[in-house]
Amino acid sequence: MLDRAGLIAFFDAHGVDHATTDHEAVFRVGEGEGIKDGIPGAHTKNLFLKDAKGRLWLISAKDDTVIDLKRLHTVIGSARLSFGPAELMVETLGVTPGSVTAFGLVNDTEGRVTFVLDKALADADRVNFHPLTNTATTTVSQAGLRRFLAALGRTPIVVDFPTLTVVEA
């Protein structure tokens, strides 16, 4: 399992430009408002979910996006969704609750987690995620995010959450 330093080394090895800002631990979206003000780009919320058939899902959305979990399963082709257990989060993404991040996909070497990306993030010039710890925020360009996902062999399901439609898969 990679940690923050390993993730940064992965970025460097794959030509992903990045900038990281250290800050106090942030566990929920609303807690980081003052911190976000000083970090340009789209900020995120990330949900680690498990469906009724045992499939694992990671949803990365813009921090102010409304996610209707009761209806999302019909859009992404999953069974009913609920929050995944912390033990599975650690096992698959190498992160603990409060530190969930798209960058955790670097640790999902078996491809157990299906990645769903908010169209608002897919369209943003720069995006911000925790670098496997909630005491920092790492900014990458859209090209950098795509380069990161390509290095992992991942193609996200891109969802327009306001209309609850898949726009890219």
Side-chain angles (χ1 to χ4, degrees):
M1 287 281 168
L2 295 183
D3 59 7
R4 175 182 166 174
L7 174 68
I8 299 305
F10 182 91
F11 288 156
D12 292 343
H14 291 89
V16 176
D17 289 332
H18 56 88
T20 299
T21 303
D22 291 302
H23 51 70
E24 294 179 20
V26 176
F27 292 91
R28 291 179 299 284
V29 171
E31 290 179 358
E33 294 308 315
I35 295 166
K36 291 177 191 177
D37 295 341
I39 305 172
H43 291 271
T44 59
K45 64 180 168 186
N46 299 274
L47 306 176
F48 179 72
L49 306 170
K50 183 177 179 182
D51 73 17
K53 293 183 179 179
R55 287 182 62 194
L56 302 176
W57 300 82
L58 175 63
I59 314 294
S60 290
K62 194 166 177 294
D63 60 351
D64 60 358
T65 298
V66 175
I67 300 173
D68 185 349
L69 288 180
K70 292 181 180 177
R71 293 180 47 213
L72 181 60
H73 70 280
T74 63
V75 175
I76 61 173
S78 72
R80 289 213 174 259
L81 296 161
S82 61
F83 289 96
E87 303 79 35
L88 263 179
M89 184 187 308
V90 172
E91 179 184 319
T92 56
L93 300 177
V95 297
T96 56
S99 296
V100 180
T101 170
F103 296 151
L105 291 169
V106 74
N107 287 322
D108 180 28
T109 57
E110 296 176 18
R112 294 173 57 191
V113 180
T114 301
F115 184 47
V116 177
L117 181 65
D118 182 0
K119 182 181 184 310
L121 289 182
D123 292 342
D125 289 336
R126 290 186 277 187
V127 293
N128 296 288
F129 294 98
H130 290 311
L132 308 179
T133 176
N134 64 354
T135 58
T137 297
T138 296
T139 306
V140 296
S141 66
Q142 186 59 230
L145 177 62
R146 296 299 175 148
R147 190 171 292 121
F148 169 75
L149 293 172
L152 299 176
R154 298 294 190 113
T155 302
I157 298 170
V158 179
V159 172
D160 181 354
F161 282 97
T163 63
L164 273 179
T165 56
V166 171
V167 293
E168 188 181 325

